[in-house]
Amino acid sequence: MSRGTDAAGDTDAVRVEEAARRVVEEHPPRSVPEREFLGACFEAGLSWVHFPVGLGGFGVSRGLQATADEILQAAGGPVPFYVNPIGYGMAAPTVREHARDPGLAREWLRPLATGEHIWCQLFSEPGAGSDLAGLATSAVRDGDEWVVNGQKVWTSLAHRSRWALLLARTDPDQPKHKGLTYFVLDMQAPGVETRPLRQMTGQAEFNEVYLNEVRIPDAHRLGEVGAGWRVAMTTLMNERSAIGGGSSVRGSGSIADAVALWARYPDRRTPVLRDRLAALWMTAEAHRLTGERARHSATAGSPGPEGSIAKLVSAELNQRVYEFCMDLLGPQSTLYGSYAVSENGRDADWRGPVQQRFLRSRANTIEGGTSEVLRNILGERVLGLPGDLRADANRPWREVPRG
C-alpha cells in the first residue's frame, strides 16, 4: 500500500470518528429514543460506512465500521444487528448492491436502519433446505407485476416483518440455479399468511409462510430476471459473515455467560471444568480477534466464502459453551421456568435463562447454513477441493425428481 493510500485511510478514519462523536453528542443514546439515535446514525453515514452517501453510508472502507461502532456502542448505543438482524446483516447489503432504483433503495434502507421496519428472508422450503436452488415457489410475470405461489419455512421473525427477501422460480425449464429471480416482498400484501413454529424453548421465532397469488411489482425485483442465484449469494455471504462476526468486545457473547456462572458457583468448580472453560475462553478469544482482523482489513466489497469460517466456528462454539454451562449447573440445568408462549403471543427474550440459551443454541448449526454445507463451501471454494457429484446440474428443474 502506498503512503498516499495510507494517508487517505487515516483521513477517512478521522472523519468517521468525528461523525460518530458528533452523533453521540447530539443524540445521546442513553437519553433519546432508539429509533432517533439509529436514524441519526443513518443520516451521518454510520449505519454501513462502506455504503454510498445518502444510503446510510460514508463511502469509505468497510473496515472503518468497527471504528464507528466502538464509539457509538461505548456511549450506550444499541448493536444494530440485534435490533434488526436480517435487515442489517442480509437485506441492507443485498438492496444496496442489487436495487435498480436508488430512490427505492433509500425508501427501504432508512426504516430498516432505525428498526421501524423488520425484515425476514424467504429462502428455505419444506423440500429445499440445504439444497436451496431446488426451491419450488413460483413467480409468474403478469404485466408489470409478478404473481407468487408457494410455501417457505424456518423464516425467522416473519411474524414481525414488514418486508422480506424472496427467492422464487421464474423459469422451470432452466437448470435449478439459472431459473431463479429475486424480489423484495411486502409482508402485508394480500395472500401472505404467517404461521408460527413452536421450538423446544417454548417460543416461536421461526415461522412457515404461505404465499397465495401474492402480487409483487416488477420495481421490487432485485437484479435481472433469472439472475436470482447471484443475488442470493450476496445475501448468503453477508448472512454468514454477520452471524459469525460476533462482538469486538473481549469476553463478550456466550463465553461471558460461562464465566459468569463460574464466578457464581465456586463450590461446583472442578479441575476438569476449569480446563474446559480455559479452552473455551481461548477459542472465543481467537474467534474474536480473527473477526476483528477481518473487519479492519475489509474493503467495500461483499464478504467472500471465507465468511463461512466465522459462522461455522461461532455456531459450534456457542453449543460447546452452553453444554459447559449445563454441566457446571448439574441437576439445576434441568429446571426450566415455562414452555408457554410469551404474553405477546410469539416473542420472548432470547437472552433468557441459560437453560433457554442452551436449547436455543441447538439451532445454531442449522440456521444460516448447516455446518455440513459450510464445510463443503470451505472445501470447494476456499481450499479448492473437488466438489460433490451433482447429477442434476444441467437438467431443467422441472425434470429433476422431487419428493
Side-chain angles (χ1 to χ4, degrees), residues 29 34 38 78 81-82 140 174 195 207 235 243 321 367 373:
E34 183 176 84
L38 292 173
F81 181 76
Y82 296 161
V140 178
Q174 290 286 334
R195 302 179 187 175
N207 306 266
T235 305
I243 292 175
V321 165
E367 59 194 347
V373 168

Side-chain angles (χ1 to χ4, degrees), residues 1-10:
M1 182 180 292
S2 69
R3 298 182 68 176
T5 304
D6 284 337
D10 291 343

Side-chain angles (χ1 to χ4, degrees), residues 211-256:
L211 306 169
N212 183 24
E213 298 291 305
V214 179
R215 290 186 169 269
I216 302 177
D218 186 58
H220 289 193
R221 170 171 49 84
L222 300 184
E224 300 302 318
V225 175
W229 188 252
R230 185 171 71 87
V231 182
M233 286 301 98
T234 300
T235 305
L236 294 174
M237 292 300 101
N238 279 281
E239 175 183 36
R240 288 155 190 167
S241 178
I243 292 175
S247 171
S248 60
V249 179
R250 186 182 186 199
S252 61
S254 60
I255 193 64

Side-chain angles (χ1 to χ4, degrees), residues 7 52 106 131 149 159 166 183 221 233 238 284-285 287 318 400:
R106 178 178 170 85
D131 181 21
N149 288 278
H159 58 296
L166 171 67
F183 303 93
R221 170 171 49 84
M233 286 301 98
N238 279 281
E285 185 65 2
H287 175 58
N318 278 348
V400 177

Side-chain angles (χ1 to χ4, degrees), residues 18 51 144 216 231 244 349-350 376 378:
E18 290 176 346
F51 279 24
D144 291 332
I216 302 177
V231 182
D349 180 9
W350 65 276
N376 278 350
L378 293 172

Side-chain angles (χ1 to χ4, degrees), residues 270-315:
T270 68
V272 171
L273 289 175
R274 181 181 293 108
D275 284 349
R276 284 177 61 186
L277 179 59
L280 290 169
W281 173 274
M282 288 188 287
T283 302
E285 185 65 2
H287 175 58
R288 181 188 72 84
L289 292 173
T290 300
E292 191 74 0
R293 181 178 62 185
R295 279 188 286 270
H296 280 285
S297 64
T299 63
S302 294
E306 295 82 1
S308 297
I309 298 173
K311 195 277 178 184
L312 176 64
V313 172
S314 175

Side-chain angles (χ1 to χ4, degrees), residues 1 5 16 25 41 43 97 110 117 125 127 139 152 157 160 167 223 250 265 283 287 303 336 385:
M1 182 180 292
T5 304
V16 168
E25 181 180 345
C41 292
E43 298 301 343
E97 187 166 335
R110 195 183 193 285
H117 289 169
E125 299 183 5
K152 299 291 184 176
L157 302 178
R160 294 177 50 204
L167 190 61
R250 186 182 186 199
Y265 297 106
T283 302
H287 175 58
Y336 201 76
L385 300 177

